[in-house]
Amino acid sequence: MSQLEQLRAVMGRAGVDALWISDAANVRYLSGFTSGKDGKVLVTPQGETLYTDARYTVQAGQESRVPTFIARPPATLEHAAPGLAGLRVGFEAESLTVAELEQLRAYWPQATLVGTAGLLSELRMVKTPGEVQAVRDAQALADRVFAQVRPMIRAGVRELDVALEIESLLRRAGAESAFEIIVASGPRGAMPHGVASDRVIGDGELVTVDMGARLNGYNSDMTRTVAVGTPSPEMARVYRAVLEAEEAAVRAVRPGVSGADLDALARGILTGHGLGEAFAHSLGHGVGLMVHEGPSLRGSSEDVLRPGMIVTVEPGAYLPDVGGVRIEDLVLVTDDGFEVLSRSEKETV
């Protein structure tokens, strides 16, 4: 079943006849148009149309898998209006502004507008073979870049210089960083989102590096915590506990397992080491066109793993004023288990 066929089935269950798609990632997912932030897709009983403006005439013609109408609003809305009379038209409530909604109401008065949430995010959880390869390629690049940068993570080097080198190598390879690069050394490691600062890495410290590549629109995500010299016995203990939790959770990945169960597994191991309260976030999330998407691996998640999902497994422990550890792998759910896509070496501490 094609992506559009799956979407139509989801739309039917949601009680809408048509859907106005404004989220950039969803526009790209359905149409192939890579400048999704400057496009919209309308799915109706009669067909699908990508709406964008004249700046993208050539690009849309080359990329879009659906017919294209070139114009600026309100001409786009006027073009669509005749086919929407009497229909229940869904819109993406999480990405449409109030001003844009008022415009839809003005130009589609004969349609019933219905706010929707998550119709496409549910479909995007399970990747097509092409999407799996795209994420695989992005992660392979991230692994190569990390291997090149690892030798420079040493005492006397600024966190910012490590991050800048990662960014530069990704750019030279035709990619970009999937998110703001985290390089957190010593006591800054206690900040889960400690983006790189001008702090100089010291001897005997752990350094957490969280990085990802965005290549051809698809993302990767990986974290490694590395030792500079010999860390303190306490931080070495924390590292080994986090590694134990991470490896156990990865081994448990398979179809039918819930995100909540995986989170509980890793959290239980850290709790057994006296670090349960130091695990300050969920275990993981899906990765694809967005670096954070479904499924969710957290205690309250109702998501159940299926083949084709790609998730992070990233337990951590964060000790204020002392330091922290996070280890993260990118994992593909296969028909009978898992495949770890992130290949960068994990250190023995």
Side-chain angles (χ1 to χ4, degrees):
M1 185 181 293
S2 72
Q3 292 162 327
L4 280 163
E5 289 172 332
Q6 292 179 65
L7 175 59
R8 288 183 185 282
V10 171
M11 288 167 56
R13 292 193 292 271
V16 295
D17 308 303
L19 184 63
W20 180 247
I21 298 162
S22 54
D23 177 85
N26 290 339
V27 169
R28 176 168 182 161
Y29 178 76
L30 280 181
S31 69
F33 180 55
T34 60
S35 295
K37 64 183 178 62
D38 291 310
K40 305 287 190 292
V41 171
L42 179 63
V43 179
T44 72
Q46 289 74 42
E48 309 82 33
T49 304
L50 168 70
Y51 290 94
T52 189
D53 63 68
R55 295 172 298 169
Y56 300 101
T57 301
V58 173
Q59 181 181 337
Q62 293 175 347
E63 295 179 345
S64 181
R65 296 187 294 268
V66 303
T68 303
F69 184 82
I70 303 294
R72 285 186 177 275
T76 53
L77 304 181
E78 292 171 341
H79 174 268
L84 300 179
L87 300 186
R88 289 173 57 83
V89 180
F91 62 88
E92 296 184 300
E94 295 170 324
S95 64
L96 197 74
T97 67
V98 172
E100 289 170 331
L101 177 57
E102 290 303 318
Q103 199 172 41
L104 295 188
R105 286 174 174 154
Y107 283 91
W108 298 345
Q110 294 179 301
T112 300
L113 296 174
V114 181
T116 68
L119 299 190
L120 276 150
S121 60
E122 173 70 22
L123 299 183
R124 282 173 41 203
M125 286 189 194
V126 177
K127 273 54 181 177
T128 67
E131 288 182 300
V132 170
Q133 187 60 50
V135 175
R136 189 189 299 276
D137 291 344
Q139 181 56 52
L141 173 59
D143 282 328
R144 292 195 298 272
V145 167
F146 183 76
Q148 290 177 266
V149 169
R150 175 62 185 94
M152 76 174 291
I153 304 175
R154 61 184 186 274
V157 175
R158 294 189 311 163
E159 294 172 352
L160 273 172
D161 292 325
V162 175
L164 286 169
E165 185 64 12
I166 292 171
E167 181 81 28
S168 176
L169 290 168
L170 289 172
R171 290 284 186 180
R172 290 174 190 168
E176 60 184 325
S177 181
F179 48 86
E180 193 168 5
I181 297 164
I182 293 170
V183 181
S185 61
R188 292 191 73 253
M191 296 187 287
H193 284 177
V195 296
S197 73
D198 61 1
R199 185 182 188 277
V200 175
I201 297 168
D203 186 50
E205 294 182 341
L206 294 180
V207 183
T208 297
V209 179
D210 189 345
M211 59 170 288
R214 179 177 295 120
L215 180 65
N216 298 321
Y218 281 82
N219 296 281
S220 68
D221 191 1
M222 175 187 72
T223 305
R224 292 293 184 263
T225 297
V226 302
V228 175
T230 303
S232 69
E234 173 61 7
M235 291 311 298
R237 183 188 76 84
V238 172
Y239 181 93
R240 290 191 291 269
V242 172
L243 180 62
E244 179 186 345
E246 197 268 348
E247 291 181 338
V250 168
R251 289 194 300 270
V253 170
R254 63 183 183 276
V257 174
S258 72
D261 286 345
L262 289 175
D263 182 278
L265 172 62
R267 203 168 298 277
I269 290 172
L270 288 175
T271 298
H273 287 282
L275 296 169
E277 293 187 3
F279 184 9
H281 52 74
S282 62
L283 180 65
H285 54 84
V287 177
L289 283 168
M290 301 294 291
V291 75
H292 287 92
E293 56 184 45
S296 173
L297 277 58
R298 66 176 189 271
S300 60
S301 175
E302 297 180 355
D303 295 333
V304 176
L305 298 187
R306 287 174 279 165
M309 289 181 168
I310 297 176
V311 298
T312 66
V313 175
E314 48 181 306
Y318 310 95
L319 309 179
D321 301 318
V322 178
V325 175
R326 182 165 65 255
I327 302 170
E328 173 187 18
D329 276 315
L330 191 61
V331 183
L332 169 67
V333 184
T334 63
D335 288 336
D336 56 2
F338 68 92
E339 177 189 349
V340 178
L341 302 182
S342 45
R343 304 296 178 87
S344 294
E345 183 179 356
K346 299 168 193 170
E347 302 200 357
T348 301
V349 173

